[in-house]
Amino acid sequence: MYKYQSSKNSGSKSWVLQRITGLALVVLMIGHYILMHFHPENGHTYDAVLIRMQFSWYRIIDLSFITLGMYHGLNGIWGIFRDYNLKPWLKISVVSILIILGLAFTAWGYNIIFSIPYITNLAGK
Amino acid sequence: MAEEINKKIKTFEQQQWIKENLSYKKDSGSWAWIYHRISGIALIGYLFLHVYSLSPLSQGKAAFQHKMELYSTPFFMVLEWILFIVVLFHSLNGIRIVLVDWADGAKYHKQLYRFSWIIGIILFFAMGFIMFSHEILRVFGK
């Protein structure tokens, strides 16, 4: 049954954020698909990745893509769980697992992007 | 008093939630809701896989190219194309949800649903052409 729970967090902020991140992801996804699939070399060779990663703004876009994707995805999964009125201990466990998974995979993704070197002897430098 | 009223209200049987869900009469909106969830779960699963599959990037060129040879096989290309169905549905339906919430879309949500399927099918085949055109040209081209 519905039970009123006094809380400052009504979930409205996460609802708004879910829509904003969703729209941002649609824009990023369109760019991602055009870049990766318009020519097979672009998405599948190390050199193409290396060249793109020489631009810091490209790295920033990629980092935002991972962060937004993880937030939107895991918040969405939590939204599904929230529909089933879980017991408090289950709620805490599910949220903890989602946060740990999110942080771990985001950190892994960041780490991969940061591990790609800047080539110092690129034309003129 | 409250107890008596509570007894009269049909409550959601959590023990049998699959049966309960299946028993509802479904219109386009309910199907959109179900597909949106399934595609969302699939996409977060894919995002984890995507981070894992690109991890050889940090081990240098040879390791990455070796892994990429596997992902460039026709089997994986078809899988990528199928993944695009999931991405397309989630994106187009997501835009539909935003329109329903913020742009009075509740008045035309069924038309939006049909419209997003039409756009989706067109984009699916357009992407198929883009993804496989290089392969097709290689086999049948000059």
Side-chain angles (χ1 to χ4, degrees):
Chain A
M1 278 310 295
Y2 177 75
K3 197 167 130 197
Y4 177 72
Q5 283 173 322
S6 171
S7 165
K8 279 179 186 167
N9 180 15
S10 64
S12 63
K13 271 183 202 129
S14 95
W15 177 83
V16 172
L17 270 177
Q18 194 71 353
R19 269 130 197 87
I20 292 170
T21 53
L23 289 175
L25 283 167
V26 170
V27 176
L28 286 167
M29 182 272 296
I30 293 169
H32 191 68
Y33 261 102
I34 292 173
L35 198 59
M36 295 300 158
H37 290 290
F38 208 71
H39 202 281
E41 310 270 292
N42 288 350
H44 298 92
T45 61
Y46 184 80
D47 293 335
V49 179
L50 194 64
I51 290 165
R52 280 199 292 273
M53 288 295 170
Q54 299 310 305
F55 303 100
S56 294
W57 59 264
Y58 188 83
R59 290 180 188 235
I60 293 166
I61 288 176
D62 257 12
L63 295 173
S64 342
F65 204 3
I66 295 180
T67 316
L68 289 172
M70 281 290 171
Y71 171 80
H72 184 91
L74 293 171
N75 194 33
I77 297 290
W78 170 232
I80 295 173
F81 276 107
R82 214 162 37 184
D83 274 358
Y84 295 102
N85 198 19
L86 304 176
K87 291 181 179 72
W89 68 268
L90 254 177
K91 258 185 202 175
I92 295 166
S93 321
V94 169
V95 171
S96 315
I97 291 168
L98 292 180
I99 290 175
I100 291 167
L101 266 180
L103 288 177
F105 273 86
T106 308
W108 194 5
Y110 275 35
N111 196 34
I112 294 166
I113 291 169
F114 289 135
S115 72
I116 300 164
Y118 279 105
I119 305 164
T120 44
N121 59 354
L122 250 187
K125 277 193 174 177
Chain B
M1 186 64 189
E3 286 291 308
E4 279 173 32
I5 294 169
N6 286 350
K7 273 178 198 165
K8 284 178 190 166
I9 299 170
K10 188 184 177 294
T11 54
F12 189 84
E13 281 291 337
Q14 284 199 56
Q15 300 293 316
Q16 294 173 314
W17 61 274
I18 294 177
K19 216 175 138 190
E20 287 268 353
N21 272 322
L22 290 174
S23 74
Y24 295 147
K25 187 180 174 291
K26 290 173 203 64
D27 220 326
S28 66
S30 1
W31 285 114
W33 181 82
I34 291 167
Y35 294 148
H36 201 74
R37 294 214 145 169
I38 295 171
S39 57
I41 295 168
L43 286 174
I44 188 71
Y46 176 72
L47 185 56
F48 288 148
L49 264 179
H50 201 40
V51 172
Y52 161 76
S53 67
L54 290 182
S55 61
L57 266 176
S58 47
Q59 293 153 27
K61 188 171 177 171
F64 182 72
Q65 298 286 63
H66 179 70
K67 202 75 185 259
M68 274 301 132
E69 268 170 35
L70 173 69
Y71 300 135
S72 305
T73 54
F75 174 72
F76 274 93
M77 285 181 79
V78 171
L79 275 189
E80 273 183 330
W81 196 25
I82 292 169
L83 171 77
F84 191 55
I85 300 175
V86 181
V87 171
L88 264 178
F89 183 85
H90 203 82
S91 318
L92 291 169
N93 193 52
I95 294 169
R96 179 183 150 274
I97 291 172
V98 173
L99 289 174
V100 167
D101 289 345
W102 285 345
D104 226 5
K107 287 176 185 162
Y108 49 90
H109 74 98
K110 284 186 183 174
Q111 286 96 309
L112 274 177
Y113 184 71
R114 284 194 290 270
F115 187 61
S116 56
W117 269 103
I118 295 166
I119 295 282
I121 289 167
I122 294 169
L123 287 175
F124 173 68
F125 285 106
M127 181 51 86
F129 176 73
I130 289 174
M131 282 172 81
F132 295 102
S133 58
H134 308 281
E135 301 298 310
I136 294 166
L137 275 177
R138 205 167 61 192
V139 177
F140 299 104
K142 306 155 207 175

